[in-house]
Amino acid sequence: SRDGGKTWTPPIALEEGSVDPDLVYMNNGVVACSYGRPGSNLMFSTDKGKTWGNHHVITGKKGYNYTAIREVRPGRLLYVQDSPRMQALYIDVERLD
């Protein structure tokens, strides 16, 4: 959506993941996406979600693999995942162009 959620473009399937993606448009212009199954993962886009690179496996352990992310300060994500147990970690993201 480009108008605060009043209208939406057709959905585009993500190239990875199958469980509950969580997206954050970061202060530095990077779009971060956490997703699960297989494992608990994180990927980034520097072109507003058109393409995705920098795929990172946070844990390969199997479970529900639900994830959530929030930018807690410019350039820093709080990443929470539940496999094999609830865990949280900070991830610093620097945009390199």
Side-chain angles (χ1 to χ4, degrees), residues 55-77:
H55 298 264
H56 300 276
V57 176
I58 304 302
T59 181
K61 296 183 179 180
K62 296 183 192 241
Y64 293 112
N65 297 103
Y66 289 104
T67 66
I69 52 175
R70 294 295 176 268
E71 188 173 27
V72 293
R73 73 170 195 230
R76 178 169 265 201
L77 291 175

Side-chain angles (χ1 to χ4, degrees), residues 14-21 34-39 41 43 64-66:
L14 291 174
E15 60 194 55
E16 296 284 339
S18 64
V19 175
D20 197 28
S34 68
Y35 63 94
R37 292 191 208 145
N41 311 278
M43 63 183 171
Y64 293 112
N65 297 103
Y66 289 104

Side-chain angles (χ1 to χ4, degrees), residues 15-86:
E15 60 194 55
E16 296 284 339
S18 64
V19 175
D20 197 28
D22 193 13
L23 295 156
V24 171
Y25 185 74
M26 299 181 68
N27 186 274
N28 59 11
V30 172
V31 182
C33 177
S34 68
Y35 63 94
R37 292 191 208 145
S40 297
N41 311 278
L42 188 59
M43 63 183 171
F44 299 97
S45 174
T46 56
D47 59 7
K48 298 186 178 177
K50 293 177 187 151
T51 60
W52 295 90
N54 301 306
H55 298 264
H56 300 276
V57 176
I58 304 302
T59 181
K61 296 183 179 180
K62 296 183 192 241
Y64 293 112
N65 297 103
Y66 289 104
T67 66
I69 52 175
R70 294 295 176 268
E71 188 173 27
V72 293
R73 73 170 195 230
R76 178 169 265 201
L77 291 175
L78 173 62
Y79 182 99
V80 179
Q81 61 93 24
D82 70 348
S83 191
R85 65 190 187 324
M86 190 67 71

